[in-house]
Structure formats: structure tokens, C-alpha cells
PDB file of all heavy atoms in Angstrom:
ATOM      1  N   GLY A 211       0.840  -1.259  -0.023  1.00  0.00           N
ATOM      2  CA  GLY A 211      -0.035  -0.075   0.057  1.00  0.00           C
ATOM      3  C   GLY A 211       0.825   1.269  -0.055  1.00  0.00           C
ATOM      4  O   GLY A 211       0.283   2.391  -0.064  1.00  0.00           O
ATOM      5  N   GLU A 212       2.147   1.104   0.049  1.00  0.00           N
ATOM      6  CA  GLU A 212       2.937   2.370   0.077  1.00  0.00           C
ATOM      7  C   GLU A 212       2.937   2.967  -1.325  1.00  0.00           C
ATOM      8  O   GLU A 212       3.063   2.270  -2.358  1.00  0.00           O
ATOM      9  CB  GLU A 212       4.349   2.052   0.597  1.00  0.00           C
ATOM     10  CG  GLU A 212       5.336   3.253   0.621  1.00  0.00           C
ATOM     11  CD  GLU A 212       6.758   2.907   1.002  1.00  0.00           C
ATOM     12  OE1 GLU A 212       7.021   1.624   1.187  1.00  0.00           O
ATOM     13  OE2 GLU A 212       7.569   3.859   1.187  1.00  0.00           O
ATOM     14  N   VAL A 213       2.833   4.323  -1.467  1.00  0.00           N
ATOM     15  CA  VAL A 213       2.966   4.980  -2.635  1.00  0.00           C
ATOM     16  C   VAL A 213       4.182   5.996  -2.682  1.00  0.00           C
ATOM     17  O   VAL A 213       4.386   6.680  -1.640  1.00  0.00           O
ATOM     18  CB  VAL A 213       1.640   5.803  -2.896  1.00  0.00           C
ATOM     19  CG1 VAL A 213       1.850   6.742  -4.146  1.00  0.00           C
ATOM     20  CG2 VAL A 213       0.578   4.817  -3.176  1.00  0.00           C
ATOM     21  N   MET A 214       4.970   5.946  -3.678  1.00  0.00           N
ATOM     22  CA  MET A 214       6.147   6.687  -3.686  1.00  0.00           C
ATOM     23  C   MET A 214       6.386   7.284  -5.073  1.00  0.00           C
ATOM     24  O   MET A 214       6.027   6.853  -6.178  1.00  0.00           O
ATOM     25  CB  MET A 214       7.468   5.841  -3.206  1.00  0.00           C
ATOM     26  CG  MET A 214       7.781   4.615  -4.215  1.00  0.00           C
ATOM     27  SD  MET A 214       8.946   3.588  -3.557  1.00  0.00           S
ATOM     28  CE  MET A 214       7.989   2.604  -2.232  1.00  0.00           C
ATOM     29  N   VAL A 215       7.098   8.351  -5.144  1.00  0.00           N
ATOM     30  CA  VAL A 215       7.414   9.100  -6.402  1.00  0.00           C
ATOM     31  C   VAL A 215       8.932   9.012  -6.427  1.00  0.00           C
ATOM     32  O   VAL A 215       9.677   9.547  -5.558  1.00  0.00           O
ATOM     33  CB  VAL A 215       6.930  10.500  -6.485  1.00  0.00           C
ATOM     34  CG1 VAL A 215       7.235  11.127  -7.783  1.00  0.00           C
ATOM     35  CG2 VAL A 215       5.462  10.583  -6.192  1.00  0.00           C
ATOM     36  N   LYS A 216       9.422   8.315  -7.486  1.00  0.00           N
ATOM     37  CA  LYS A 216      10.967   8.155  -7.579  1.00  0.00           C
ATOM     38  C   LYS A 216      11.356   8.292  -9.031  1.00  0.00           C
ATOM     39  O   LYS A 216      10.522   8.491 -10.022  1.00  0.00           O
ATOM     40  CB  LYS A 216      11.361   6.798  -7.180  1.00  0.00           C
ATOM     41  CG  LYS A 216      10.829   6.312  -5.635  1.00  0.00           C
ATOM     42  CD  LYS A 216      11.683   7.136  -4.718  1.00  0.00           C
ATOM     43  CE  LYS A 216      11.363   6.680  -3.250  1.00  0.00           C
ATOM     44  NZ  LYS A 216      12.016   7.461  -2.243  1.00  0.00           N
ATOM     45  N   GLU A 217      12.588   8.297  -9.367  1.00  0.00           N
ATOM     46  CA  GLU A 217      13.162   8.176 -10.638  1.00  0.00           C
ATOM     47  C   GLU A 217      13.472   6.745 -11.080  1.00  0.00           C
ATOM     48  O   GLU A 217      14.145   5.982 -10.293  1.00  0.00           O
ATOM     49  CB  GLU A 217      14.396   8.969 -10.859  1.00  0.00           C
ATOM     50  CG  GLU A 217      15.057   9.006 -12.254  1.00  0.00           C
ATOM     51  CD  GLU A 217      16.395   9.868 -12.314  1.00  0.00           C
ATOM     52  OE1 GLU A 217      16.419  10.792 -11.543  1.00  0.00           O
ATOM     53  OE2 GLU A 217      17.237   9.455 -13.210  1.00  0.00           O
ATOM     54  N   PHE A 218      12.967   6.194 -12.111  1.00  0.00           N
ATOM     55  CA  PHE A 218      13.164   4.951 -12.505  1.00  0.00           C
ATOM     56  C   PHE A 218      14.487   4.742 -13.073  1.00  0.00           C
ATOM     57  O   PHE A 218      15.001   5.529 -13.926  1.00  0.00           O
ATOM     58  CB  PHE A 218      12.101   4.501 -13.558  1.00  0.00           C
ATOM     59  CG  PHE A 218      12.304   3.030 -14.095  1.00  0.00           C
ATOM     60  CD1 PHE A 218      11.826   2.085 -13.478  1.00  0.00           C
ATOM     61  CD2 PHE A 218      12.909   2.818 -15.328  1.00  0.00           C
ATOM     62  CE1 PHE A 218      11.922   0.719 -13.961  1.00  0.00           C
ATOM     63  CE2 PHE A 218      13.092   1.563 -15.775  1.00  0.00           C
ATOM     64  CZ  PHE A 218      12.603   0.478 -15.086  1.00  0.00           C
ATOM     65  N   ILE A 219      15.304   3.717 -12.636  1.00  0.00           N
ATOM     66  CA  ILE A 219      16.660   3.497 -12.997  1.00  0.00           C
ATOM     67  C   ILE A 219      16.776   2.315 -13.867  1.00  0.00           C
ATOM     68  O   ILE A 219      17.223   2.360 -15.036  1.00  0.00           O
ATOM     69  CB  ILE A 219      17.578   3.394 -11.808  1.00  0.00           C
ATOM     70  CG1 ILE A 219      17.603   4.574 -10.914  1.00  0.00           C
ATOM     71  CG2 ILE A 219      19.135   3.063 -12.233  1.00  0.00           C
ATOM     72  CD1 ILE A 219      17.959   5.745 -11.701  1.00  0.00           C
ATOM     73  N   ARG A 220      16.319   1.135 -13.366  1.00  0.00           N
ATOM     74  CA  ARG A 220      16.370  -0.013 -14.212  1.00  0.00           C
ATOM     75  C   ARG A 220      15.440  -1.178 -13.532  1.00  0.00           C
ATOM     76  O   ARG A 220      15.104  -1.103 -12.347  1.00  0.00           O
ATOM     77  CB  ARG A 220      17.799  -0.626 -14.361  1.00  0.00           C
ATOM     78  CG  ARG A 220      18.449  -1.081 -13.005  1.00  0.00           C
ATOM     79  CD  ARG A 220      19.899  -1.625 -13.255  1.00  0.00           C
ATOM     80  NE  ARG A 220      20.751  -0.667 -13.867  1.00  0.00           N
ATOM     81  CZ  ARG A 220      21.437   0.235 -13.238  1.00  0.00           C
ATOM     82  NH1 ARG A 220      21.362   0.340 -11.971  1.00  0.00           N
ATOM     83  NH2 ARG A 220      22.239   1.135 -13.848  1.00  0.00           N
ATOM     84  N   ARG A 221      15.145  -2.176 -14.345  1.00  0.00           N
ATOM     85  CA  ARG A 221      14.376  -3.227 -13.977  1.00  0.00           C
ATOM     86  C   ARG A 221      15.089  -4.534 -14.528  1.00  0.00           C
ATOM     87  O   ARG A 221      15.314  -4.628 -15.690  1.00  0.00           O
ATOM     88  CB  ARG A 221      12.849  -3.163 -14.454  1.00  0.00           C
ATOM     89  CG  ARG A 221      12.024  -4.199 -13.956  1.00  0.00           C
ATOM     90  CD  ARG A 221      10.693  -4.191 -14.647  1.00  0.00           C
ATOM     91  NE  ARG A 221       9.730  -5.073 -14.037  1.00  0.00           N
ATOM     92  CZ  ARG A 221       8.577  -4.698 -13.491  1.00  0.00           C
ATOM     93  NH1 ARG A 221       8.289  -3.413 -13.284  1.00  0.00           N
ATOM     94  NH2 ARG A 221       7.812  -5.675 -12.956  1.00  0.00           N
ATOM     95  N   SER A 222      15.097  -5.506 -13.654  1.00  0.00           N
ATOM     96  CA  SER A 222      15.629  -6.872 -14.032  1.00  0.00           C
ATOM     97  C   SER A 222      14.741  -7.845 -13.650  1.00  0.00           C
ATOM     98  O   SER A 222      13.638  -7.561 -13.166  1.00  0.00           O
ATOM     99  CB  SER A 222      17.047  -7.021 -13.301  1.00  0.00           C
ATOM    100  OG  SER A 222      16.846  -7.183 -11.980  1.00  0.00           O
ATOM    101  N   MET A 223      15.037  -9.087 -13.773  1.00  0.00           N
ATOM    102  CA  MET A 223      14.132 -10.251 -13.447  1.00  0.00           C
ATOM    103  C   MET A 223      13.942 -10.185 -11.884  1.00  0.00           C
ATOM    104  O   MET A 223      12.900 -10.626 -11.462  1.00  0.00           O
ATOM    105  CB  MET A 223      14.690 -11.674 -13.894  1.00  0.00           C
ATOM    106  CG  MET A 223      14.894 -11.817 -15.348  1.00  0.00           C
ATOM    107  SD  MET A 223      13.059 -11.962 -16.112  1.00  0.00           S
ATOM    108  CE  MET A 223      12.729 -13.693 -15.400  1.00  0.00           C
ATOM    109  N   ASN A 224      14.884  -9.742 -11.159  1.00  0.00           N
ATOM    110  CA  ASN A 224      14.908  -9.925  -9.711  1.00  0.00           C
ATOM    111  C   ASN A 224      14.493  -8.649  -8.932  1.00  0.00           C
ATOM    112  O   ASN A 224      14.187  -8.772  -7.819  1.00  0.00           O
ATOM    113  CB  ASN A 224      16.246 -10.599  -9.195  1.00  0.00           C
ATOM    114  CG  ASN A 224      16.487 -11.858  -9.813  1.00  0.00           C
ATOM    115  OD1 ASN A 224      15.515 -12.663  -9.874  1.00  0.00           O
ATOM    116  ND2 ASN A 224      17.671 -12.156 -10.210  1.00  0.00           N
ATOM    117  N   GLN A 225      14.786  -7.401  -9.577  1.00  0.00           N
ATOM    118  CA  GLN A 225      14.551  -6.264  -8.802  1.00  0.00           C
ATOM    119  C   GLN A 225      14.286  -5.014  -9.661  1.00  0.00           C
ATOM    120  O   GLN A 225      14.604  -4.994 -10.829  1.00  0.00           O
ATOM    121  CB  GLN A 225      15.837  -5.989  -7.797  1.00  0.00           C
ATOM    122  CG  GLN A 225      17.000  -5.614  -8.570  1.00  0.00           C
ATOM    123  CD  GLN A 225      18.230  -5.318  -7.574  1.00  0.00           C
ATOM    124  OE1 GLN A 225      18.239  -5.781  -6.554  1.00  0.00           O
ATOM    125  NE2 GLN A 225      19.168  -4.670  -8.054  1.00  0.00           N
ATOM    126  N   VAL A 226      13.712  -4.030  -9.044  1.00  0.00           N
ATOM    127  CA  VAL A 226      13.466  -2.744  -9.690  1.00  0.00           C
ATOM    128  C   VAL A 226      14.181  -1.683  -8.845  1.00  0.00           C
ATOM    129  O   VAL A 226      13.989  -1.680  -7.656  1.00  0.00           O
ATOM    130  CB  VAL A 226      11.938  -2.375  -9.862  1.00  0.00           C
ATOM    131  CG1 VAL A 226      11.776  -1.063 -10.242  1.00  0.00           C
ATOM    132  CG2 VAL A 226      11.303  -3.458 -10.623  1.00  0.00           C
ATOM    133  N   GLU A 227      15.092  -0.915  -9.563  1.00  0.00           N
ATOM    134  CA  GLU A 227      15.873   0.023  -8.909  1.00  0.00           C
ATOM    135  C   GLU A 227      15.170   1.564  -9.129  1.00  0.00           C
ATOM    136  O   GLU A 227      14.968   1.866 -10.306  1.00  0.00           O
ATOM    137  CB  GLU A 227      17.230   0.019  -9.410  1.00  0.00           C
ATOM    138  CG  GLU A 227      18.192   1.038  -8.579  1.00  0.00           C
ATOM    139  CD  GLU A 227      19.586   0.988  -9.123  1.00  0.00           C
ATOM    140  OE1 GLU A 227      19.957   0.014  -9.891  1.00  0.00           O
ATOM    141  OE2 GLU A 227      20.325   1.827  -8.834  1.00  0.00           O
ATOM    142  N   LEU A 228      14.918   2.188  -7.987  1.00  0.00           N
ATOM    143  CA  LEU A 228      14.313   3.572  -8.084  1.00  0.00           C
ATOM    144  C   LEU A 228      15.258   4.395  -7.275  1.00  0.00           C
ATOM    145  O   LEU A 228      15.640   4.205  -6.131  1.00  0.00           O
ATOM    146  CB  LEU A 228      12.956   3.514  -7.446  1.00  0.00           C
ATOM    147  CG  LEU A 228      11.939   2.465  -8.016  1.00  0.00           C
ATOM    148  CD1 LEU A 228      10.633   2.462  -7.254  1.00  0.00           C
ATOM    149  CD2 LEU A 228      11.587   2.897  -9.586  1.00  0.00           C
ATOM    150  N   LYS A 229      15.537   5.697  -7.861  1.00  0.00           N
ATOM    151  CA  LYS A 229      16.288   6.747  -7.178  1.00  0.00           C
ATOM    152  C   LYS A 229      15.407   7.785  -6.536  1.00  0.00           C
ATOM    153  O   LYS A 229      14.444   8.215  -7.147  1.00  0.00           O
ATOM    154  CB  LYS A 229      17.160   7.341  -8.232  1.00  0.00           C
ATOM    155  CG  LYS A 229      18.087   8.424  -7.630  1.00  0.00           C
ATOM    156  CD  LYS A 229      18.987   9.054  -8.775  1.00  0.00           C
ATOM    157  CE  LYS A 229      19.886  10.203  -8.231  1.00  0.00           C
ATOM    158  NZ  LYS A 229      20.677  10.724  -9.357  1.00  0.00           N
ATOM    159  N   SER A 230      15.696   8.069  -5.255  1.00  0.00           N
ATOM    160  CA  SER A 230      14.918   9.170  -4.521  1.00  0.00           C
ATOM    161  C   SER A 230      15.190  10.427  -5.117  1.00  0.00           C
ATOM    162  O   SER A 230      16.259  10.810  -5.599  1.00  0.00           O
ATOM    163  CB  SER A 230      15.282   9.084  -3.172  1.00  0.00           C
ATOM    164  OG  SER A 230      14.800   7.900  -2.494  1.00  0.00           O
ATOM    165  N   LEU A 231      14.177  11.325  -5.238  1.00  0.00           N
ATOM    166  CA  LEU A 231      14.245  12.636  -5.652  1.00  0.00           C
ATOM    167  C   LEU A 231      14.901  13.602  -4.680  1.00  0.00           C
ATOM    168  O   LEU A 231      15.524  14.615  -5.004  1.00  0.00           O
ATOM    169  CB  LEU A 231      12.834  13.247  -6.039  1.00  0.00           C
ATOM    170  CG  LEU A 231      12.064  12.381  -7.025  1.00  0.00           C
ATOM    171  CD1 LEU A 231      10.679  12.983  -7.413  1.00  0.00           C
ATOM    172  CD2 LEU A 231      12.848  12.016  -8.247  1.00  0.00           C
ATOM    173  N   ASN A 232      14.663  13.238  -3.394  1.00  0.00           N
ATOM    174  CA  ASN A 232      15.294  14.033  -2.313  1.00  0.00           C
ATOM    175  C   ASN A 232      16.604  13.509  -1.902  1.00  0.00           C
ATOM    176  O   ASN A 232      16.771  12.243  -1.579  1.00  0.00           O
ATOM    177  CB  ASN A 232      14.354  13.946  -1.046  1.00  0.00           C
ATOM    178  CG  ASN A 232      14.881  14.873   0.122  1.00  0.00           C
ATOM    179  OD1 ASN A 232      15.945  15.093   0.239  1.00  0.00           O
ATOM    180  ND2 ASN A 232      13.975  15.492   0.825  1.00  0.00           N
ATOM    181  N   PRO A 233      17.720  14.213  -2.113  1.00  0.00           N
ATOM    182  CA  PRO A 233      19.034  13.654  -1.798  1.00  0.00           C
ATOM    183  C   PRO A 233      19.165  13.054  -0.468  1.00  0.00           C
ATOM    184  O   PRO A 233      20.128  12.383  -0.116  1.00  0.00           O
ATOM    185  CB  PRO A 233      20.054  14.916  -2.157  1.00  0.00           C
ATOM    186  CG  PRO A 233      19.045  15.950  -2.098  1.00  0.00           C
ATOM    187  CD  PRO A 233      17.781  15.615  -2.528  1.00  0.00           C
ATOM    188  N   ASP A 234      18.401  13.577   0.497  1.00  0.00           N
ATOM    189  CA  ASP A 234      18.550  13.125   1.920  1.00  0.00           C
ATOM    190  C   ASP A 234      17.783  11.751   2.102  1.00  0.00           C
ATOM    191  O   ASP A 234      17.846  11.150   3.121  1.00  0.00           O
ATOM    192  CB  ASP A 234      17.866  14.127   2.778  1.00  0.00           C
ATOM    193  CG  ASP A 234      18.696  15.379   2.766  1.00  0.00           C
ATOM    194  OD1 ASP A 234      19.880  15.394   2.588  1.00  0.00           O
ATOM    195  OD2 ASP A 234      18.015  16.388   3.069  1.00  0.00           O
ATOM    196  N   CYS A 235      17.046  11.274   1.039  1.00  0.00           N
ATOM    197  CA  CYS A 235      16.387   9.986   1.319  1.00  0.00           C
ATOM    198  C   CYS A 235      16.999   8.800   0.496  1.00  0.00           C
ATOM    199  O   CYS A 235      17.768   9.136  -0.579  1.00  0.00           O
ATOM    200  CB  CYS A 235      14.836  10.084   0.705  1.00  0.00           C
ATOM    201  SG  CYS A 235      13.887  11.339   1.516  1.00  0.00           S
TER     202      CYS A 235
END
């Protein structure tokens, strides 16, 4: 149920990598 706004970096078979917009997060 968590909703987040991120920058999409890459997606593989095992994981999705998202970059935070706030440098402190």
C-alpha cells in the first residue's frame, strides 16, 4: 500500500531500482 514518487533507473528479473528525488532519502 505504500505510494512513492521516484526516478526509474532499471528493472531486471529480480529487482526494480528507483532513485529518490530528495538527496536526503
